[in-house]
Amino acid sequence: SAALGIAVDEGLIQGVDVPAMSFFDAYEPDLSDPRKAAMTVEDLLTMRSGLDWNEMISYDDASNSCIQLEASDDWIRFVLDHLMREDPGTVFDYNSGVSVLLGKIVGVATAQRVDHWAEERLFTPIGITDYHWKTTPRGEVDTEGGLYLSAHDLARIGYLFLRGGMWDGEQIISAEWVARSTAPTVSDIRPTNDRQNDGYGYQWWVPDHDGERTLVFAGNGYGGQFLLVAPDYEIVAVFNGWNIHGGARASTWRALQERIIPAIQSGP
């Protein structure tokens, strides 16, 4: 999302209302369903693609669409070949496949692989020099969950967004993109598992918001990876973990809201 936002800022992508399928001409997607042709980049960013996707089940379940994606040879085509289930932009349905498409869109728009683009325009300017980003069997970048960063470097991403896209006096990402990314564009998400009714922006969770105002935004990842940002308190909190089997004895998912902020409010 951040890498795509920089491409939008530089005019390489003409806004989020551009039809998403316009970047995939080389794949000749089946657009006989007008709903797929109408799908926009923003629909992908906000997980409202309308695609028939099944990821709100255990990742140990072979019918999970994300697991099937990762087992496929061509990740891009696997996602593009899915039929539509809803009108795009109407229903939130968490879909790792659309994050893969977003990475490809950045690559097409910038004529660079998304990891190279991110390194040049995002990572290097904010001091991230050591990272690993997985690739798919076809050499695409795994933008649905393959980026490995240290806790401190992940915190740099949070701090960049906390500061409205500014780093050491340089505007890395526009303040407008940061605000749109971390606003609860989607605020009527159906609760699932142990989650409450979160909000969602441009690939960012907004677990706490008051109407249109963001109180906490977060990059919540598989296995216990949490990047939590509380703008009112100027806090960035990062937790690394890899608990992918069974339940955790203690979760850090609400640690910022339930432990850190109350401790600050109560004082020493």
Side-chain angles (χ1 to χ4, degrees):
S1 175
L4 190 145
I6 296 171
V8 171
D9 291 340
E10 297 191 12
L12 299 174
I13 297 174
Q14 301 302 312
V16 297
D17 294 328
V18 173
M21 292 300 102
S22 66
F23 295 91
F24 297 96
D25 290 345
Y27 289 84
E28 299 181 343
D30 180 0
L31 301 181
S32 58
D33 187 332
R35 295 178 298 180
K36 184 174 287 188
M39 185 193 307
T40 67
V41 171
E42 185 174 61
D43 294 330
L44 303 188
L45 285 165
T46 57
M47 297 287 185
R48 296 182 295 180
S49 67
L51 291 171
D52 188 7
W53 191 266
N54 182 26
E55 194 169 342
M56 301 307 286
I57 58 175
S58 170
Y59 289 101
D60 292 325
D61 190 327
S63 65
N64 186 302
S65 296
C66 182
I67 297 303
Q68 295 175 352
L69 164 74
E70 294 183 346
S72 68
D73 292 330
D74 189 335
W75 290 23
I76 304 294
R77 186 165 297 284
F78 178 85
V79 181
L80 293 176
D81 284 349
H82 273 68
L83 300 176
M84 299 295 291
R85 184 171 61 208
E86 312 280 354
D87 289 338
T90 61
V91 176
F92 177 88
D93 190 17
Y94 192 85
N95 182 335
S96 293
V98 302
S99 297
V100 172
L101 297 186
L102 289 168
K104 184 62 174 179
I105 287 172
V106 173
V108 172
T110 65
Q112 296 186 53
R113 220 170 65 167
V114 63
D115 54 344
H116 299 156
W117 171 259
E119 180 173 304
E120 178 183 335
R121 295 300 210 280
L122 177 61
F123 294 166
T124 299
I126 68 174
I128 296 176
T129 59
D130 185 18
Y131 71 92
H132 172 68
W133 212 333
K134 289 162 49 185
T135 57
T136 75
R138 291 291 180 95
E140 303 290 350
V141 181
D142 176 4
T143 50
E144 57 92 22
L147 176 60
Y148 291 75
L149 293 171
S150 70
H152 282 88
D153 283 345
L154 183 55
R156 291 175 187 269
I157 302 290
Y159 189 76
L160 176 68
F161 274 70
L162 175 66
R163 294 303 182 202
M166 183 78 72
W167 191 276
D168 285 344
E170 181 181 358
Q171 196 73 44
I172 307 302
I173 310 175
S174 69
E176 179 186 8
W177 184 265
V178 170
R180 293 175 71 180
S181 296
T182 58
T185 302
V186 184
S187 58
D188 56 351
I189 300 172
R190 294 186 297 270
T192 58
N193 301 328
D194 62 343
R195 291 189 186 279
Q196 61 183 38
N197 194 7
D198 291 352
Y200 200 78
Y202 288 178
Q203 303 279 287
W204 287 88
W205 291 99
V206 188
D208 287 278
H209 55 89
D210 180 10
E212 296 183 355
R213 193 170 76 92
T214 296
L215 303 176
V216 174
F217 60 90
N220 292 340
Y222 182 48
Q225 323 293 332
F226 298 117
L227 167 60
L228 307 163
V229 182
D232 288 354
Y233 296 91
E234 296 196 323
I235 292 175
V236 177
V238 174
F239 298 93
N240 272 358
W242 195 235
N243 182 47
I244 61 173
H245 299 293
R249 293 181 61 187
S251 174
T252 52
W253 179 56
R254 298 284 300 178
L256 175 64
Q257 296 94 318
E258 296 176 359
R259 300 293 183 89
I260 298 173
I261 290 176
I264 293 172
Q265 292 172 331
S266 63

